[in-house]
Amino acid sequence: GEGEGEGEEESDSWELVYPSESHPRAVAVGPADVERLRDPDAFLNDTLIDFYLLYVTHQLLPRESARVHVLSTFFYAKLAQGGGQEAASAAHARVAAWTQGVDVFSKDFVLVPVHLVAHW
């Protein structure tokens, strides 16, 4: 009948935002990400890696989370974008805002996920 299938479409539009929508590094996991986890032949994506690193930091290591800063999976790619001949100041300028408001030198651990050529 009319409107048939619309409910299915709406149910596929959900997303889980972690740790919260107000968090500066919030990650939104949606149905396509969950399907990727269900497929044994699928590679992980940046969303799933970012989610997992934040989850481990906040849920599994809550007492240590203040000592840890987790950067996005896009951080290293953005930092290395200009190639080896580029001045360090130009590379820093591309990612300086990524740690704004965070004193990374006060952290015991700064996690930088690095993705080179091969998939996660």
Side-chain angles (χ1 to χ4, degrees):
E2 193 175 317
E4 207 171 296
E6 286 180 23
E8 289 176 32
E9 216 172 276
E10 287 179 25
S11 67
D12 286 345
S13 66
W14 62 269
E15 68 178 15
L16 164 75
V17 179
Y18 184 84
S20 69
E21 289 187 19
S22 62
H23 191 277
R25 289 275 327 284
V27 176
V29 176
D33 300 307
V34 173
E35 284 305 312
R36 182 174 295 276
L37 290 173
R38 290 181 177 152
D39 181 352
D41 296 323
F43 292 107
L44 296 177
N45 62 16
D46 294 296
T47 299
L48 292 170
I49 297 294
D50 282 338
F51 165 80
Y52 186 70
L53 289 172
L54 286 175
Y55 177 80
V56 167
T57 303
H58 291 280
Q59 297 297 317
L60 301 180
L61 306 169
R63 284 186 263 162
E64 290 82 8
S65 66
R67 300 173 38 214
V68 178
H69 183 69
V70 179
L71 291 160
S72 165
T73 55
F74 297 105
F75 178 84
Y76 181 78
K78 192 71 168 173
L79 179 69
Q81 194 173 32
Q85 301 299 321
E86 179 184 42
S89 60
H92 176 261
R94 280 195 304 279
V95 296
W98 295 43
T99 57
Q100 192 171 12
V102 177
D103 179 6
V104 293
F105 297 105
S106 71
K107 303 295 181 179
D108 292 326
F109 304 98
V110 177
L111 302 179
V112 182
V114 176
H115 172 262
L116 300 172
V117 184
H119 291 276
W120 293 109

